[in-house]
Amino acid sequence: MPGESGRVLHAQLHLLDRQLIDQADGHLAGKVDDVELDLDADPPVVTALITGRERITARRIVDITTAVTVSVEDLDLDYYDDWVENHVIAKIPGARHAPE
Amino acid sequence: MKKVLGVTLGILTAIGGFVDIGDLVTNALVGARFGLHLAWVVIVGVIGICLYAEMCGRVVAMSGRPVFDLIRERLGPRTGLLTLVASFLVTLLTLIAEIGGVALALELASGVHYLLWMPLAAFAVWLVIWRVKFSRLEQVFGLLGLLLVVFAVALFTLGPDWGQLLHQATRPHPIGHENWATYAYYGIALFGAAMTPYEVFFFSSGGVEEKWTRSDLVTARSNVFVGFPLGGLLSLAIMGGAAVLFLPAGIKVETLGQVTLPVAVALGKLGLAIVLIGVFAATFGAALETALSCGYTIAQYRGWQWGKFVRPREASRFHVVIIVCLVLAMLTLLTAVDPVQVTEYSVVFAAMALPLTYLPILIVANDPDYVGEEKNGPVRNAFGLVYLALLTVASAAAIPLMIITKGGQ
């Protein structure tokens, strides 16, 4: 947790396998696959969340409710989604339009 | 006034959307073989789906999280993955059966072989998912599905001996040359048809699609507590018609044409036309729901962007899953497997996947982090636990019974 807020959380219950949400656009951005802890600190603090191959440092965590909102900025959480979008979905007519 | 209209519309949609190919085939088949001696299972199943769908609706309205989010969160990645594989395969099998059902309904209406209709049906399902807004898709097919009420009209027109039907319904045991093994097997099939996992995946994801909040709890509950039981009555009418027409003659139901026959006999050509439109709408609507549910389950397990509330390109992996599933369904049906038999197996496999689907819902409906003050009370929890035990027994007995009865022979 960011030092200043210092919420006490049960890492397994409140963080692991939670939905990640991109603060910028509200899009779903993967799951918390793992949690990195600093065990030297007392009590231990969460230093980062791991999703896929990306590491999200604790300072990027904006909010923790039933999902975890993060500030994605330069992290590439949408790599595979963008790949599928550019190679498959965007080629189908109507992919840019909202359904009616 | 607008609110009342919305609630009414929701209820009507829920009734029309309740019945799918699994309910149509299983209820008619069971009615023809067992009369109403298994009718109690439909009632038990409807209470079960009401109980758990209400919990899902509450969790979605209070937390905005759909069911499969919770399954991974509460069961962990490994058991969650097992649940994902099981419920995804069952949902895919159901999708295959629904698309087969759409094609069979078109064959009955046109005389053109269903395998020629099938690619067109699959393409139409994809096109609707790709282009049509969520709320519209749900309402159109739900309301058209209400035409299945002709099954109830037909039952009254056939003028059955009501005393005898009641006699059957209150005697829960096998009859004729049926034994307890086939009786239990088809009991589990009916249970699976009424509580199919995709119903809660679709119901809860639909809540997110329509951006439910606390104020939508009334709508969610009225859909569940009024719409589903009335949908269950339709199931019983289908069973009753088959019991009246086929049981005395000793005829087994093996085709979709036979499922609709009681209506044709009672109400003639007009009745047949109405029931065919109803069957088309019900199976097409369920094909949409199962195709979407295939995408919902995988995307929610993996945390991908999903849903029709964003443009297709923003949920690209979700849409790819749906396209791949529809292609797989098409290829499976092209092997000329009998869609009615696929349906029979799909409801039994659905029964097997039930406990893992419903356990996380029960856990989270008690978690104040998710539902705030709207936690389950002791009565709901007692019912929830009883059903979990029932589901576990049904799930464990499904495969042995399938082997003993050779698939219900």
Side-chain angles (χ1 to χ4, degrees):
Chain A
M1 293 310 93
E4 59 271 28
S5 75
R7 262 174 81 190
V8 178
L9 291 166
H10 191 300
Q12 194 158 10
L13 269 182
H14 290 111
L15 286 173
L16 266 184
D17 297 307
R18 288 253 158 152
Q19 180 69 51
L20 288 166
I21 295 178
D22 182 346
Q23 184 196 22
D25 52 14
H27 283 180
L28 307 174
K31 293 275 180 177
V32 180
D33 294 319
D34 208 348
V35 175
E36 205 180 270
L37 298 173
D38 178 5
L39 294 172
D40 294 334
D42 185 39
V45 291
V46 173
T47 50
L49 306 176
I50 312 292
T51 175
R53 45 178 207 170
E54 296 288 344
R55 182 173 172 276
I56 305 167
T57 50
R59 69 183 73 250
R60 291 175 186 271
I61 300 174
V62 180
D63 193 15
I64 300 172
T65 57
T66 53
V68 181
T69 308
V70 292
S71 146
V72 173
E73 291 160 20
D74 54 318
L75 287 179
D76 193 7
L77 297 183
D78 291 334
Y79 178 81
Y80 294 106
D81 214 58
D82 290 343
W83 191 92
V84 173
E85 178 183 335
N86 294 329
H87 289 80
V88 188
I89 293 298
K91 295 189 197 302
I92 305 172
R96 288 158 206 273
H97 300 104
E100 283 157 29
Chain B
M1 192 59 211
K2 209 174 164 193
K3 180 117 190 168
V4 177
L5 208 68
V7 170
T8 317
L9 191 64
I11 291 172
L12 293 176
T13 312
I15 303 171
F18 184 82
V19 175
D20 72 343
I21 189 78
D23 299 290
L24 283 163
V25 167
T26 316
N27 283 290
L29 190 151
V30 166
R33 283 179 62 167
F34 299 89
L36 290 189
H37 289 276
L38 271 166
W40 62 274
V41 181
V42 175
I43 297 166
V44 174
V46 168
I47 296 173
I49 190 70
C50 287
L51 185 71
Y52 276 92
E54 191 275 336
M55 287 187 216
C56 286
R58 187 152 30 97
V59 171
V60 170
M62 302 301 289
S63 74
R65 302 255 66 86
V67 168
F68 230 95
D69 260 29
L70 313 175
I71 289 182
R72 175 164 170 189
E73 235 176 79
R74 292 294 125 156
L75 297 181
R78 282 191 189 169
T79 317
L81 185 63
L82 180 72
T83 314
L84 174 70
V85 170
S87 43
F88 174 78
L89 288 178
V90 169
T91 307
L92 182 61
L93 198 62
T94 316
L95 171 65
I96 295 169
E98 307 289 354
I99 290 186
V102 175
L104 285 175
L106 290 169
E107 176 183 298
L108 288 173
S110 67
V112 177
H113 196 269
Y114 82 93
L115 280 179
L116 292 173
W117 283 115
M118 194 269 299
L120 202 67
F123 181 74
V125 168
W126 170 74
L127 198 63
V128 170
I129 291 179
W130 187 253
R131 292 300 296 144
V132 180
K133 221 163 66 178
F134 184 87
S135 52
R136 189 165 305 170
L137 133 189
E138 219 194 350
Q139 282 161 9
V140 168
F141 292 98
L143 291 178
L144 274 177
L146 269 182
L147 290 176
L148 292 177
V149 164
V150 284
F151 273 108
V153 179
L155 180 59
F156 280 94
T157 313
L158 284 172
D161 179 348
W162 292 103
Q164 197 199 347
L165 287 182
L166 189 69
H167 179 87
Q168 290 177 4
T170 49
R171 309 262 175 323
H173 56 71
I175 47 162
H177 44 259
E178 303 291 351
N179 53 44
W180 280 104
T182 54
Y183 185 82
Y185 181 73
Y186 281 106
I188 289 173
L190 279 176
F191 206 36
M195 293 193 74
T196 319
Y198 85 81
E199 292 176 61
V200 287
F201 301 148
F202 181 76
F203 187 71
S204 70
S205 306
V208 179
E209 297 262 23
E210 298 190 323
K211 304 191 169 64
W212 278 354
T213 59
R214 195 191 175 102
S215 60
D216 295 298
L217 267 180
V218 181
T219 317
R221 285 185 173 143
S222 59
N223 287 1
V224 168
F225 289 131
V226 184
F228 286 8
L230 290 176
L233 279 184
L234 283 186
S235 295
L236 287 176
I238 297 168
M239 189 187 278
V244 172
L245 197 64
F246 298 120
L247 181 66
I251 299 169
K252 279 190 185 178
V253 169
E254 277 156 356
T255 66
L256 192 62
Q258 285 174 305
V259 173
T260 59
L261 198 59
V263 180
V265 169
L267 304 169
K269 274 192 178 155
L270 181 65
L272 184 61
I274 295 174
V275 80
L276 287 181
I277 300 172
V279 169
F280 171 79
T283 49
F284 198 92
L288 296 171
E289 296 183 5
T290 43
L292 283 167
S293 295
C294 285
Y296 289 148
T297 49
I298 293 191
Q300 286 165 15
Y301 176 84
R302 301 281 296 143
W304 302 339
Q305 177 64 49
W306 54 269
K308 290 180 53 55
F309 55 94
V310 294
R311 294 180 176 87
R313 64 176 304 162
E314 290 163 23
S316 51
R317 285 179 287 189
F318 168 72
H319 278 281
V320 162
V321 170
I322 292 174
I323 293 170
V324 169
C325 289
L326 284 168
V327 170
L328 283 177
M330 208 157 66
L331 292 176
T332 314
L333 287 165
L334 278 178
T335 63
V337 286
D338 178 4
V340 174
Q341 279 192 338
V342 173
T343 309
E344 287 182 41
Y345 283 107
S346 75
V347 291
V348 177
F349 284 119
M352 285 169 53
L354 290 177
L356 283 176
T357 308
Y358 288 96
L359 172 67
I361 301 173
L362 182 62
I363 296 174
V364 170
N366 280 292
D367 188 336
D369 277 359
Y370 286 86
V371 287
E373 299 146 21
E374 299 281 345
K375 278 196 300 180
N376 272 3
V379 178
R380 281 210 178 97
N381 276 334
F383 269 102
L385 283 173
V386 168
Y387 268 88
L388 212 55
L390 265 179
L391 296 171
T392 312
V393 171
S395 162
I399 286 287
L401 282 170
M402 189 184 270
I403 294 168
I404 295 170
T405 62
K406 298 193 179 69
Q409 298 297 306

